[in-house]
Amino acid sequence: MSFTDLLKIIILFIVTSSSFGGIIFAVIKFCSNAIAERLSKKYDLKLQKEIERYKESLDKTNYVSKVKFDLEIRIYKELCASLFNVKESVLLLFPITIDFMPEDIDKQKEIWLGRYNTAVKDYNQYCELLSSNAFFIPEEIYTDFEEIHKLCKTQLTFFNISGKLQTGKINHISIDDEKNIYNRNEEIDKKKNELICKLREYLNNLEVLEK
């Protein structure tokens, strides 16, 4: 009998013995328990993450009555329409792009006066809407509307002293002030875009309470 045959007989004896069978069973049971525990921990971790995500979504959600929701929608529609108007009319006082003007100075002054009157009208409407609805607007959003209001007011003030109404050109303010004027134009446009994004996110997180 060769050594290989003897080894096979010994292995067969060990496998068929009751004591070794118990060892194998114990090993299998231990491994099963370990695998089950690991899967359980993995499931618990996944469940915990789902719960955290759900809690986070609840934290971001604002529950309001339908009456309040409809009121806010109306306010923001009117405010945004007014904001677009005042932004466009104020930016036209100091246009960044090419602005075609007639050569006649009197006609130029007439155009500037018309633009100024439109900007003042749009600005006053915007101020009235903002102040009359201040109570219903969250503070952070109101502050953003107010910042744009202040920037537009500054542009109107500088237009008055710029000389455009008298000569059709900027000639009564410094180069630095003129540079700041055009920087404010860009700031107004930037703040308007940021505010619209913030409003969209805010309204998307409103959840209407059912009766």
Side-chain angles (χ1 to χ4, degrees):
M1 179 182 295
S2 66
F3 175 77
T4 302
D5 294 334
L6 180 62
L7 184 60
K8 286 180 181 180
I9 293 172
I10 294 172
I11 293 174
L12 181 61
F13 174 77
I14 293 174
V15 170
T16 55
S17 67
S18 60
S19 60
F20 191 76
I23 294 173
I24 293 176
F25 177 77
V27 170
I28 293 174
K29 185 178 181 181
F30 173 79
C31 291
S32 298
N33 289 339
I35 293 172
E37 184 179 357
R38 185 175 180 183
L39 289 175
S40 177
K41 288 181 179 179
K42 187 175 181 180
Y43 175 75
D44 288 343
L45 181 61
K46 182 179 179 181
L47 182 61
Q48 186 63 32
K49 288 181 178 179
E50 290 294 332
I51 292 174
E52 290 299 324
R53 278 198 290 267
Y54 179 69
K55 286 171 63 179
E56 185 179 349
S57 67
L58 286 180
D59 291 339
K60 290 182 178 179
T61 303
N62 295 319
Y63 292 92
V64 297
S65 66
K66 189 174 187 306
V67 174
K68 188 174 187 302
F69 179 79
D70 291 341
L71 175 64
E72 289 202 47
I73 291 295
R74 179 184 63 78
I75 288 173
Y76 291 131
K77 283 179 66 176
E78 292 177 356
L79 263 176
C80 286
S82 182
L83 172 60
F84 281 115
N85 288 338
V86 72
K87 191 266 296 186
E88 291 298 323
S89 58
V90 167
L91 263 58
L92 271 178
L93 298 178
F94 300 100
I96 299 175
T97 56
I98 297 176
D99 196 22
F100 295 99
M101 283 282 177
E103 294 183 4
D104 186 82
I105 299 298
D106 290 333
K107 289 183 178 180
Q108 287 184 20
K109 291 192 291 185
E110 184 179 341
I111 290 174
W112 288 123
L113 180 60
R115 290 185 183 183
Y116 175 72
N117 289 336
T118 299
V120 170
K121 175 178 68 68
D122 291 340
Y123 172 79
N124 288 336
Q125 288 178 350
Y126 179 69
C127 291
E128 183 179 352
L129 270 174
L130 187 58
S131 59
S132 62
N133 292 295
F135 179 77
F136 305 100
I137 304 173
E139 183 177 358
E140 183 181 357
I141 294 177
Y142 176 84
T143 300
D144 291 341
F145 276 112
E146 178 66 16
E147 286 180 358
I148 297 174
H149 154 260
K150 290 178 180 178
L151 289 169
C152 290
K153 182 179 180 180
T154 303
Q155 294 296 79
L156 287 169
T157 300
F158 269 95
F159 183 83
N160 261 327
I161 62 175
S162 68
K164 281 191 173 186
L165 289 176
Q166 293 77 28
T167 65
K169 298 179 181 180
I170 297 177
N171 54 16
H172 293 170
I173 57 178
S174 67
I175 295 177
D176 287 339
D177 283 338
E178 184 177 354
K179 181 179 179 181
N180 290 332
I181 284 171
Y182 290 104
N183 287 339
R184 271 193 298 273
N185 267 2
E186 295 179 359
E187 191 175 358
I188 290 172
D189 195 47
K190 179 184 176 183
K191 285 186 177 297
K192 183 268 296 181
N193 292 333
E194 291 174 347
L195 176 55
I196 295 303
C197 291
K198 184 180 290 186
L199 265 179
R200 188 179 293 116
E201 182 180 358
Y202 169 76
L203 293 174
N204 284 339
N205 287 327
L206 288 182
E207 188 72 25
V208 179
L209 290 171
E210 299 294 338
K211 291 184 179 180

